[in-house]
Amino acid sequence: MNRKTLVLSAVIGLLAPVLAGCGGSDGGSDGADAIVVGTTDQVIATKDAQAPLDPAFTYDTATWNLIRNTIQSLMHVPRGGGAPVPEAASKCEFTDRQNESYRCTLRSGLKFSNGDPVTAADAKFSIERLVNIKDPNGASGLMTNIDTIDTNGDSEIVFHLKTPDATFPYKLSTPVAGLLNPKTYSANKLRTGFEVDGSGPYTFKAEVSGDVMTKAIFTRNPNYKGDLKLQNDKVEVKTFTDANVMGKALDSGDIDMMTRAMTPEQIKSLVENPKEGIALTEIPGLEIRYLGFDTAAPSVKEKAVRQAMAYVIDRGDLVTKVYGAMAEPLYSLIPATIATHTNSFFNKYGEPDRAKAAQLLEDAGISTPVKLTMNYTTDHYGAATAKEFETLKAQLNDSGLFDITVKGEEWKSFRPNQTKGDYAVYGMGWFPDFPDPDNYIAPFLDKDNFLNTPYANPTLRNELIPDSRREADRSAATNTFAQIQDIVAEDVPVLPLWQGKQYVASRDDIAGVEWAVNSSAELLLWELHRGTSKAS
């Protein structure tokens, strides 16, 4: 076959333009063999993280991608983005003008993979379980606005919210709202190990070496009823510790596709020197990277220190040296491709300015150089992360205003340590739970946020965030989100660095690749199949 590089220029959800497409036939795979997907995402069970695949515990892209293909949610974001549509439900809607009461009716004949019927009581159990367990590592904060949950018979469930929330349908599309079987999930205890089951499109089996999952095997669930159209019967997700080894496996045909995380060098090579039989697909990305701060830590407690870092860091230089065409500078928590974005950090700090940073520190009575350790994870966001932090270190130290040390740790220890507040400054990435500006604000700044940050701004939490959620027309909340972004730029509880693009490489006999990873980095395995596309 001819060499080819496929570039998909589109944006999802609240982006413009929106991808258009309709579901394909439920025809299954053209071949009996499994489609094999490679990834460098690691799923590990440790002493501090014994339940890596429990929806009440886990909150990262790697594990959510496994759960999403196994555990069914009431809603899902359709192919091409846009407003959520029913998945396990046959119908969902707000029943009041204030967006405070949300009613769903389950599909008829819905079953878990073991054949047990799925009822409204199971949906109630699943979400109440998440909120009651309230694990600090998890995403229970997405559901804490629920006041009460009522059921009416086996098929109807009603969520009564504490305050209006137009984003609630999106939250019901996430794995934290997945439907669990009370026979296999305890109401008040996490499910340890690597077992997952639900009523989703696939059943799941893990191959494990020690405490590390090496392969995830997804097989079509014969009991599945929902809105998704499966294009294959079996997919295997194989884990690699090195992106270059993963690339060689693709070249040799040992895997059919590789996703997160290809290196900048691999992508550049495939763009400039396409390989026979390999397709490179660019997919719109909503990923952001940022520095987080423990604002209670003595070294960064003074706002002037964080603001001085904002003056010194050169995002353009960082992107050019480390990521090239894979990224672009970001001056807000909300990416430039999401409606309501404003360049609040650029508006306040402009181009890098050492003199202004020095004056700011002097006026605050802070001695220089300010000594800090910046922590990052070595194995969660790709091999380029180490170079990124060396570049940031050089920028800050070259100013003479900072004395920076960088320290890398594996994700299995990095994330628990970050949650416990062990790091004054740390690097993190974020793919949204759903493509709405709220999901770039609340997870960092609202009560029960996933960073577990001590930063608590009452204006943000008690006024602006609730106000933004009242608007069903999200563009009507633009002014509110602008105020939020300006406060973040002033207080710098987090410091946005860049937003990225996504690339997927695949054998060119694999179809559906452009739909199999969406802008939120969700892995939608049901879209993949061999041969030409069946979708219409």
Side-chain angles (χ1 to χ4, degrees), residues 43-54 57-58 135 137 189-195 211 412 416:
V43 178
I44 304 173
T46 68
K47 181 179 179 181
D48 292 326
Q50 298 182 44
L53 296 179
D54 190 317
F57 173 82
T58 190
D135 192 280
N137 188 76
K189 184 180 179 182
L190 294 173
R191 186 177 186 181
T192 59
F194 297 93
E195 290 185 305
D211 60 358
K412 64 182 179 181

Side-chain angles (χ1 to χ4, degrees), residues 367-384:
S367 300
T368 57
V370 178
K371 191 171 183 176
L372 296 172
T373 297
M374 295 198 305
N375 298 270
Y376 69 94
T377 174
T378 57
D379 60 343
H380 195 65
Y381 299 120

Side-chain angles (χ1 to χ4, degrees), residues 59 136 138 290 415 418-419 428-430 443-444 448-452:
Y59 195 15
Y290 60 93
R415 174 59 172 155
Q418 180 272 315
T419 304
M428 292 280 278
W430 180 253
F444 307 97
D448 298 320
N449 64 79
F450 96 106
L451 289 178
N452 200 27

Side-chain angles (χ1 to χ4, degrees), residues 143-314:
M143 296 294 158
T144 53
N145 192 36
I146 296 175
D147 187 14
T148 59
I149 303 175
D150 293 331
T151 60
N152 182 14
D154 287 340
S155 63
E156 191 171 83
I157 182 168
V158 183
F159 301 93
H160 302 285
L161 308 182
K162 298 173 185 175
T163 59
D165 185 2
T167 72
F168 189 67
Y170 280 105
K171 294 173 181 175
L172 288 182
S173 73
T174 64
V176 296
L179 306 181
L180 306 178
N181 190 336
K183 291 182 180 179
T184 54
Y185 287 85
S186 168
N188 53 21
K189 184 180 179 182
L190 294 173
R191 186 177 186 181
T192 59
F194 297 93
E195 290 185 305
V196 183
D197 52 66
S199 56
Y202 296 98
T203 61
F204 174 89
K205 180 181 179 181
E207 291 186 3
V208 178
S209 176
D211 60 358
V212 180
M213 190 186 74
T214 57
K215 183 186 289 186
I217 302 170
F218 295 90
T219 305
R220 179 191 288 259
N221 175 11
N223 288 319
Y224 171 70
K225 288 189 176 182
D227 192 52
L228 307 176
K229 309 300 181 184
L230 276 70
Q231 301 288 341
N232 59 68
D233 293 323
K234 189 175 184 179
V235 180
E236 297 177 358
V237 178
K238 186 176 181 180
T239 300
F240 294 82
T241 57
D242 183 275
N244 291 319
V245 175
M246 179 171 65
K248 292 177 181 177
L250 182 69
D251 292 343
S252 67
D254 289 341
I255 64 174
D256 299 299
M257 179 175 120
M258 60 178 181
T259 57
R260 291 184 4 127
M262 298 173 65
T263 67
E265 292 78 16
Q266 285 177 313
I267 293 167
K268 182 180 179 182
S269 176
L270 285 171
V271 169
E272 296 178 353
N273 302 291
K275 294 182 178 180
E276 185 73 27
I278 302 295
L280 181 68
T281 304
E282 179 188 327
I283 296 172
L286 296 177
E287 176 186 15
I288 68 169
R289 297 283 179 87
Y290 60 93
L291 293 178
F293 298 95
D294 179 351
T295 54
S299 58
V300 293
K301 185 175 182 179
E302 294 296 329
K303 181 170 64 175
V305 173
R306 309 191 300 270
Q307 290 178 326
M309 293 177 72
Y311 270 122
V312 171
I313 287 175
D314 187 336

Side-chain angles (χ1 to χ4, degrees), residues 333-402:
L333 275 176
I334 300 175
T337 41
I338 287 279
T340 74
H341 163 86
T342 61
N343 282 320
S344 296
F345 274 81
F346 188 84
N347 295 341
K348 181 170 179 60
Y349 301 100
E351 297 292 346
D353 194 323
R354 183 209 178 273
K356 288 183 179 179
Q359 189 63 56
L360 185 69
L361 292 170
E362 181 180 341
D363 291 345
I366 297 171
S367 300
T368 57
V370 178
K371 191 171 183 176
L372 296 172
T373 297
M374 295 198 305
N375 298 270
Y376 69 94
T377 174
T378 57
D379 60 343
H380 195 65
Y381 299 120
T385 308
K387 185 177 180 181
E388 175 180 351
F389 273 78
E390 288 298 328
T391 303
L392 290 170
K393 171 185 172 180
Q395 289 182 359
L396 291 162
N397 286 351
D398 288 350
S399 72
L401 302 175
F402 294 91

Side-chain angles (χ1 to χ4, degrees), residues 419-439:
T419 304
K420 289 185 291 186
D422 289 352
Y423 306 140
V425 188
Y426 51 88
M428 292 280 278
W430 180 253
F431 282 101
D433 307 322
F434 47 88
D436 185 277
D438 177 85
N439 201 239

